[in-house]
Amino acid sequence: MGKFVTFGEIMLRLAPIGYDRFVQSKEFGVVYGGGEANVAVSLANYGKDAYFVTKLPKHEIGQSAVNELRRYGVNTSLITRGGDRVGIYFCEKGASQRPSKVIYDRAHSAIAEAKKEDFNWEEIFEGAEWFHFTGITPALSDNCAEITLEAVKAAKEAGVTVSVDLNYRKKLWSTEKAGKVMGEIVKYCDVVIANEEDAEKVFGIKAEETNITSGHLSDEGYKKVAQELADRFGLKYVAITLRESFSASDNGWSAMMYDTKEFYKSKRYDVRIVDRVGGGDSFGAGLIYGLSSGMSNQDALEYAVAASCLKHTIEGDFNLVSIEEVETLMKGDASGRVQR
């Protein structure tokens, strides 16, 4: 089994206790997380040889982030140390008709100010099987965009499968810049993962007969989106998560995938949300696990959706579920009955 390498930013997450609002909170709970770190934790949890690559300060907060990754079996030996800041984000959990809110304090973080020479990609990809990153990483800074492009080129040269979750964040960059930068990077990818609006925000590819705000999502519209992405960038797989947002507490959750020959649609789950942060990352990790473990395309998709469904019930960024728990849900046991 080869290395599964992810690259990005791990942040300190500060959140009011329970459903308190920022303005009424007297204390914040602390966890660590970030798109690619979340994927690495899931892959390690599924038994893969997962490595997380980033740059973190040498001080105690940076070390705490490293320790948290190690706690869940992620190999941290490729992390570069230096810089001054660990990025922070504040997360207020929504409920019912009140949406969740995220405030970033990540400017000038160690990874955002990283330089190309901080990472030896030839060494990093030695013995690697899979490389995963998200659109958040190149959005952090122009340096990060250049480093990410260098990474995907090196991965392709090393024969490593490359996946990207588009993960558009309007608070980090404009749609115009995202399209320009990601348009160059995705040329080197094999697998693209997106949510119901990423393709439109990043590449201007809109699903017809779809209204995301009202929760109406068209399967036929997203088939065309997947096909256009695959054709434009020469991809092997395009997977799109389909979130029907009825409220901050209740969502419909499913996904579809295109392998350039056939379209696959998962079963749909009604999800009562405990914590939705990391939901997309848990889907990406599940898909990577399924595709790399010899599952059929349909089963890989079902595994990814079931894994991410379960993540919505877990506090924090990381998806702390076992393969057995995911497979139980895949097979139709969604009762939630006590396991004795």
Side-chain angles (χ1 to χ4, degrees):
M1 181 178 65
K3 289 155 50 176
F4 286 70
V5 179
T6 73
F7 170 60
E9 179 170 34
I10 186 168
M11 291 187 293
L12 176 68
R13 170 179 166 183
L14 300 176
I17 305 303
Y19 291 92
D20 281 1
R21 305 214 67 186
F22 288 136
V23 294
Q24 71 183 121
S25 293
K26 295 180 175 61
E27 58 181 320
F28 288 148
V30 174
V31 296
Y32 290 89
E36 299 87 353
N38 301 343
V39 171
V41 168
S42 282
L43 290 173
N45 200 36
Y46 299 147
K48 297 295 187 182
D49 188 16
Y51 287 70
F52 180 61
V53 178
T54 191
K55 185 173 184 179
L56 283 168
K58 295 180 180 179
H59 56 52
E60 289 83 353
I61 302 303
Q63 189 60 43
S64 294
V66 172
N67 292 350
E68 189 71 356
L69 291 164
R70 288 176 177 167
R71 177 186 178 191
Y72 294 108
V74 176
N75 191 310
T76 61
S77 62
L78 298 176
I79 292 177
T80 297
R81 304 303 293 270
D84 299 318
R85 290 203 68 207
V86 174
I88 299 171
Y89 80 100
F90 301 85
C91 183
E92 178 186 282
K93 192 183 299 183
S96 192
Q97 280 67 46
R98 177 171 61 83
S100 296
K101 290 189 175 181
V102 171
I103 298 172
Y104 291 120
D105 179 17
R106 66 199 305 177
H108 307 294
S109 67
I111 183 64
E113 297 191 343
K115 298 177 174 62
K116 286 184 179 181
E117 51 267 30
D118 287 327
F119 307 99
N120 182 335
W121 293 109
E122 184 177 348
E123 179 181 308
I124 289 168
F125 291 132
E126 185 176 346
E129 178 179 340
W130 201 291
F131 175 55
H132 178 78
F133 67 101
T134 77
I136 293 172
T137 302
L140 295 175
S141 66
D142 290 342
N143 276 358
C144 280
E146 292 175 7
I147 293 168
T148 305
L149 181 58
E150 192 173 79
V152 293
K153 287 180 177 179
K156 292 307 290 182
E157 190 172 325
V160 176
T161 299
V162 180
S163 60
V164 58
D165 186 335
L166 294 181
N167 240 341
Y168 176 72
R169 294 289 185 269
K170 65 182 179 182
K171 292 185 178 181
L172 295 179
W173 58 358
S174 67
T175 56
E176 293 77 16
K177 186 168 185 179
K180 181 179 179 181
V181 173
M182 294 301 291
E184 184 62 27
I185 291 172
V186 174
K187 292 177 184 177
Y188 299 91
C189 296
D190 301 289
V191 183
V192 162
I193 300 163
N195 69 17
E196 64 282 349
E197 57 183 349
D198 283 335
E200 179 186 357
K201 298 294 186 185
V202 178
F203 296 122
I205 305 172
K206 180 176 172 58
E208 297 175 359
E209 298 179 12
T210 287
N211 187 315
I212 293 168
T213 303
S214 70
H216 176 71
L217 307 178
S218 165
D219 286 354
E220 290 303 314
Y222 283 105
K223 285 181 180 180
K224 292 179 181 177
V225 169
Q227 197 164 24
E228 187 169 342
L229 280 170
D231 290 346
R232 184 183 297 187
F233 295 107
L235 303 167
K236 295 178 181 177
Y237 297 97
V238 177
I240 300 175
T241 57
L242 303 171
R243 183 186 297 278
E244 301 162 273
S245 189
F246 307 120
S247 73
S249 303
D250 296 284
N251 286 181
W253 185 249
S254 62
M256 60 85 61
M257 185 168 72
Y258 176 57
D259 67 358
T260 75
K261 297 182 182 69
E262 294 184 50
F263 291 95
Y264 305 87
K265 181 72 189 292
S266 77
K267 67 179 68 173
R268 178 188 173 281
Y269 297 94
D270 288 312
V271 180
R272 174 61 57 88
I273 295 172
V274 172
D275 189 339
R276 64 164 284 180
V277 176
D281 305 320
S282 59
F283 173 85
L287 189 67
I288 292 168
Y289 173 77
L291 292 176
S292 65
S293 299
M295 291 185 189
S296 69
N297 289 343
Q298 185 67 50
D299 283 350
L301 181 65
E302 296 290 358
Y303 187 95
V305 173
S308 54
C309 174
L310 290 172
K311 166 61 195 78
H312 285 74
T313 70
I314 298 169
E315 293 277 6
D317 279 48
F318 299 156
N319 192 21
L320 307 177
V321 296
S322 67
I323 294 172
E324 182 182 13
E325 288 171 320
V326 178
E327 289 180 340
T328 297
L329 181 56
M330 274 179 69
K331 294 171 184 175
D333 185 354
S335 64
R337 291 176 62 85
V338 176
Q339 302 295 304
R340 292 188 173 96

